[in-house]
Amino acid sequence: MALIVQKFGGTSVGSVERIEQVAAKVKKFRDNGDDIVVVVSAMSGETNRLIDLAKQISEQPVARELDVMVSTGEQVTIALLAMALIKIGVPAVSYTGNQVRILTDSAFTKARILQIDAQNIHKELKAGRVVVVAGFQGVDEAGNITTLGRGGSDTTGVALAAALKADECQIYTDVDGVYTTDPRVVAKAQRLDKITFEEMLEMASLGSKVLQIRAVEFAGKYSVPLRVLHSFQEGPGTLITLDEEESMEQPIISGIAFNRDEAKLTIRGVPDTPGVAFKILGPISAANVEVDMIVQNVAHDNTTDFTFTVHRNDYQNALQVLEGIARDMGAREVIGDTDIAKVSIVGVGMRSHAGVASRMFEALAKENINIQMISTSEIKVSVVIEEKYLELAVRALHTAFELDAPAGKVE
Ligand code: ASP
Ligand code: MG
């Protein structure tokens, strides 16, 4: 007998029919003898609908009141799911964040969980009930309702699993697991049986949006085994774990991540003197723009070029700041480029294998794709390329690192 926390996202509880399907699924586990705590999101579209309502009153609604309102989405689904369970003979009870007592700080709309009181839930489980908990919400010390940020139900699920010392936290969603890359780009992408937290974080932060990043961090920190599964299809999903087993069959690269959300800025002909990087990036960060990759060239004639990438949404802002800096420094010119994309290979196997980066560069060279920037970490190599070659690059790398599904295998 195991204690399992199951989280169902908005599309999985998007209609009454689906909520009844979820109830049937929960019943199966329970009939198996497992103790089940279910965390649910609001019905799909509901949180957006509520936020739109608030925006009709004010472009910048008071954060405390916004949380009072958007937390209602989850309150509806916990009650509906509890009713659906009871209807099919499964004793169940719903709990809001406040009723559990998921204690958070007071940062409305982006609160952090401080502590979870597991007592009530243990009591209900002991009495034989399935406990249905509202995702995304908590309560602060003063009793105010708080929410955890968009996608926060994942974090609720993981935090509850940690607090209850659950055997597994299962995240049910509309995909059947984590893939080697986006199957819409590479038809031969494969579902991974396993991935480490570290790899998952890289994949998630690089734009594969299966799980909220914060939830993955949380699960890693508290060693909560996390599994991503399809809500309505059978299958083992993808297990996200701590252990990096070194087996011969283990591929060196677990996945290929990419994103088109960045833009590149170059300031040319800046004096090569101490403090230059700070003079450029200081004002950029003061303008609240986050910088991702940075490259400074070797100087000749005592001047150098300095290039960095930012989120595309910050591009105009960063460009303006940079033009100001260029004037002050007497730099030659500022060039910007939004038609770029970042492609990364991710894998803990890189730690113990040399030549991974050169294999990547070889694959890109074969396709005649020019690399504009490179950055590496212990388990990742990223390159910036021209956006129009993105899909070609991802496919070439997927093949080069032997991630393609064998012919005839359909996931
Ligand atoms: N309902 C919230 C949202 O849409 C939380 C969640 O679904 O995880 O962001
Ligand atoms: Mg979600």
Side-chain angles (χ1 to χ4, degrees):
M1 200 183 85
L3 169 54
I4 303 173
V5 174
Q6 303 184 317
K7 182 259 168 179
F8 290 89
T11 41
S12 311
V13 293
S15 65
V16 168
E17 293 72 37
R18 292 210 161 169
I19 289 175
E20 293 195 307
Q21 272 178 276
V22 167
K25 181 148 207 146
V26 171
K27 181 178 191 305
K28 253 201 234 160
F29 277 88
R30 197 167 163 283
D31 289 349
N32 229 4
D34 294 332
D35 278 341
I36 310 289
V37 175
V38 189
V39 174
V40 284
S41 294
M43 294 168 89
S44 59
E46 180 63 6
T47 309
N48 287 339
R49 188 185 72 85
L50 292 168
I51 291 172
D52 286 348
L53 269 181
K55 293 231 157 124
Q56 289 176 37
I57 301 269
S58 151
E59 242 329 288
Q60 230 130 60
V62 179
R64 181 189 182 279
E65 305 312 328
L66 194 59
D67 278 358
V68 169
M69 189 180 59
V70 295
S71 64
T72 61
E74 275 72 12
Q75 188 163 337
V76 169
T77 44
I78 54 172
L80 286 173
L81 181 57
M83 291 174 200
L85 283 163
I86 292 164
K87 183 172 129 183
I88 56 174
V90 178
V93 60
S94 69
Y95 271 77
T96 64
N98 185 21
Q99 288 172 317
V100 173
R101 204 140 191 267
I102 298 178
L103 183 70
T104 71
D105 61 21
S106 304
F108 298 114
T109 74
K110 48 177 185 296
R112 299 219 157 231
I113 296 174
L114 301 175
Q115 203 189 319
I116 293 182
D117 186 349
Q119 241 181 343
N120 283 327
I121 295 181
H122 279 308
K123 205 178 62 201
E124 297 286 2
L125 290 173
K126 230 186 186 149
R129 296 188 190 100
V130 168
V131 189
V132 186
V133 179
F136 177 56
Q137 56 175 262
V139 64
D140 73 2
E141 196 70 65
N144 298 301
I145 295 173
T146 56
T147 66
L148 309 178
R150 298 308 305 268
S153 298
D154 288 348
T155 300
T156 305
V158 171
L160 270 175
L164 296 166
K165 299 192 171 53
D167 296 286
E168 194 167 284
C169 179
Q170 302 176 339
I171 307 279
Y172 287 91
T173 177
D174 48 8
V175 293
D176 67 349
V178 179
Y179 274 67
T180 48
T181 195
D182 187 338
R184 283 168 302 188
V185 172
V186 180
K188 289 177 176 165
Q190 303 188 67
R191 182 184 52 78
L192 294 159
D193 285 323
K194 252 178 153 186
I195 185 170
T196 68
F197 287 112
E198 255 186 304
E199 289 170 327
M200 188 62 213
L201 280 175
E202 292 288 2
M203 299 281 281
S205 64
L206 292 166
S208 82
K209 298 177 188 71
V210 191
L211 278 170
Q212 199 204 29
I213 291 181
R214 226 170 109 192
V216 182
E217 280 169 359
F218 209 107
K221 188 165 161 199
Y222 293 97
S223 314
V224 175
L226 200 57
R227 195 182 288 276
V228 175
L229 303 125
H230 196 287
S231 301
F232 305 116
Q233 291 168 14
E234 293 301 317
T238 300
L239 181 66
I240 306 163
T241 59
L242 274 180
D243 59 312
E244 297 179 14
E245 65 188 57
E246 256 301 331
S247 79
M248 300 271 288
E249 292 105 307
Q250 193 77 7
I252 300 166
I253 296 304
S254 296
I256 318 253
F258 57 86
N259 86 52
R260 308 169 203 260
D261 299 338
E262 292 191 20
K264 192 176 76 167
L265 292 144
T266 300
I267 178 166
R268 298 198 52 206
V270 294
D272 184 35
T273 50
V276 165
F278 177 62
K279 268 189 206 139
I280 296 169
L281 294 182
I284 294 286
S285 109
N288 248 321
V289 173
E290 220 177 292
V291 171
D292 181 25
M293 283 194 191
I294 304 169
V295 172
Q296 185 186 325
N297 276 353
V298 174
H300 42 91
D301 315 329
N302 293 322
T303 69
T304 184
D305 300 341
F306 194 94
T307 304
F308 57 94
T309 63
V310 299
H311 196 281
R312 255 182 225 184
N313 295 343
D314 291 328
Y315 174 69
Q316 284 304 335
N317 191 0
L319 189 63
Q320 250 179 31
V321 175
L322 199 59
E323 274 164 354
I325 299 167
R327 273 192 300 276
D328 293 349
M329 290 174 93
R332 201 174 316 132
E333 62 176 333
V334 170
I335 323 169
D337 186 355
T338 53
D339 296 327
I340 59 157
K342 183 164 87 171
V343 184
S344 309
I345 55 174
V346 176
V348 291
M350 243 182 254
R351 287 200 178 110
S352 46
H353 287 83
V356 175
S358 71
R359 196 158 146 197
M360 178 188 202
F361 305 152
E362 184 188 11
L364 295 173
K366 271 193 189 148
E367 300 295 341
N368 244 321
I369 298 170
N370 188 40
I371 300 172
Q372 304 179 2
M373 296 172 85
I374 301 169
S375 83
T376 65
S377 79
E378 224 190 332
I379 65 161
K380 175 186 79 173
V381 183
S382 304
V383 296
V384 167
I385 59 171
E386 209 178 321
E387 185 178 7
K388 69 178 183 202
Y389 297 123
L390 175 62
E391 308 207 336
L392 177 61
V394 174
R395 273 196 297 272
L397 293 169
H398 202 267
T399 304
F401 286 99
E402 293 163 15
L403 296 173
D404 291 350
K409 188 177 171 205
V410 231
E411 277 283 350

